[in-house]
Amino acid sequence: GAGVSQSPRYKVAKRGQDVALRCDPISGHVSLFWYQQALGQGPEFLTYFQNEAQLDKSGLPSDRFFAERPEGSVSTLKIQRTQQEDSAVYLCASSPLLGAFARNEQFFGPGTRLTVL
Amino acid sequence: TQLLEQSPQFLSIQEGENLTVYCNSSSVFSSLQWYRQEPGEGPVLLVTVVTGGEVKKLKRLTFQFGDARKDSSLHITAAQPGDTGLYLCAGAGNYGQNFVFGPGTRLSVLP
């Protein structure tokens, strides 16, 4: 398809397990964002990539959260030693624009719903 | 930190009615966006407003950016069941920093 895809769509983890969430952006999009959306809330910014460079990781809630985009395309968000408060929908968005302009034209994936038991 | 508030939190109306939802902040935003999100999907961008006082129309939806660029409204005329969803506003500071989403208004349009 032509849109942003994310996998898995649903993930159940036991507390303390590590998880990896994948995002396939729209081909050619240089900017990629990760957001966390808690139940009943709006998305909260986690991190931003411009190509393979992680230019902003100010939203990552702890050092258990790690994101990478090694070849400037597919991105992976990894959460180590998951906790119950990590339960949320994790959204990925890509944009053909750069920097501050990228937020004006974001295309979101369907998200991965993570449940930590 | 810039914060966005949205009201009402929930809204349930009958098909054919008009409605307005609001997005407010004490901070100035360089631009403000409205998204609609359906269950199990990511948000879909509806509009971006950048100029104070700007009004944009998208079919039955009318978006307005406040003169001071601190607030915005979304008006829907003759709502349809297909308008059901979570309406999110999002804004950025002058240099794109501090991009934040509001908590959303959950709209239900009953047939």
Side-chain angles (χ1 to χ4, degrees), chain B residues 18-40:
Chain B
N18 301 332
L19 66 113
T20 302
V21 297
Y22 301 92
C23 175
N24 298 288
S25 176
S26 59
S27 302
V28 174
F29 288 87
S30 63
S31 65
L32 205 139
Q33 300 175 328
W34 284 93
Y35 293 80
R36 182 172 69 216
Q37 184 177 23
E38 299 187 29

Side-chain angles (χ1 to χ4, degrees), chain A residues 9 37 42-43 100 103-104 108-109, chain B residues 31 33 37 40 42 95-96 99 101-102:
Chain A
R9 291 294 312 274
Q37 186 173 23
R103 291 184 169 98
N104 289 339
F108 282 83
Chain B
S31 65
Q33 300 175 328
Q37 184 177 23
Y95 301 99
F99 186 78
F101 278 86

Side-chain angles (χ1 to χ4, degrees), chain B residues 38-54:
Chain B
E38 299 187 29
E41 300 296 329
V44 175
L45 180 64
L46 298 174
V47 78
T48 300
V49 286
V50 297
T51 304
E54 181 177 5

Side-chain angles (χ1 to χ4, degrees), chain A residues 10 12 31 44-45 53 76 113 115:
Chain A
Y10 303 91
V12 179
S31 293
E44 290 193 6
F45 169 77
T76 303
R113 180 176 296 278
T115 302

Side-chain angles (χ1 to χ4, degrees), chain B residues 8-107:
Chain B
Q9 187 177 358
F10 300 96
L11 185 59
S12 181
I13 61 170
Q14 293 293 133
E15 181 176 3
E17 293 183 356
N18 301 332
L19 66 113
T20 302
V21 297
Y22 301 92
C23 175
N24 298 288
S25 176
S26 59
S27 302
V28 174
F29 288 87
S30 63
S31 65
L32 205 139
Q33 300 175 328
W34 284 93
Y35 293 80
R36 182 172 69 216
Q37 184 177 23
E38 299 187 29
E41 300 296 329
V44 175
L45 180 64
L46 298 174
V47 78
T48 300
V49 286
V50 297
T51 304
E54 181 177 5
V55 176
K56 282 192 174 179
K57 293 190 175 184
L58 184 65
K59 297 184 180 179
R60 294 175 295 100
L61 279 60
T62 302
F63 305 86
Q64 183 163 8
F65 201 11
D67 291 341
R69 291 188 286 128
K70 294 183 178 181
D71 55 83
S72 181
S73 63
L74 160 58
H75 181 80
I76 302 179
T77 302
Q80 300 176 0
D83 296 327
T84 293
L86 179 67
Y87 287 82
L88 295 159
C89 65
N94 286 333
Y95 301 99
Q97 77 279 20
N98 299 329
F99 186 78
V100 293
F101 278 86
T105 292
R106 190 166 298 279
L107 172 66

Side-chain angles (χ1 to χ4, degrees), chain A residues 11 13-20 78-82:
Chain A
K11 177 69 179 178
K14 291 184 178 179
R15 187 164 57 92
Q17 283 185 333
D18 298 348
V19 298
K78 298 180 179 178
I79 308 174
Q80 298 177 324
R81 304 181 304 281
T82 53

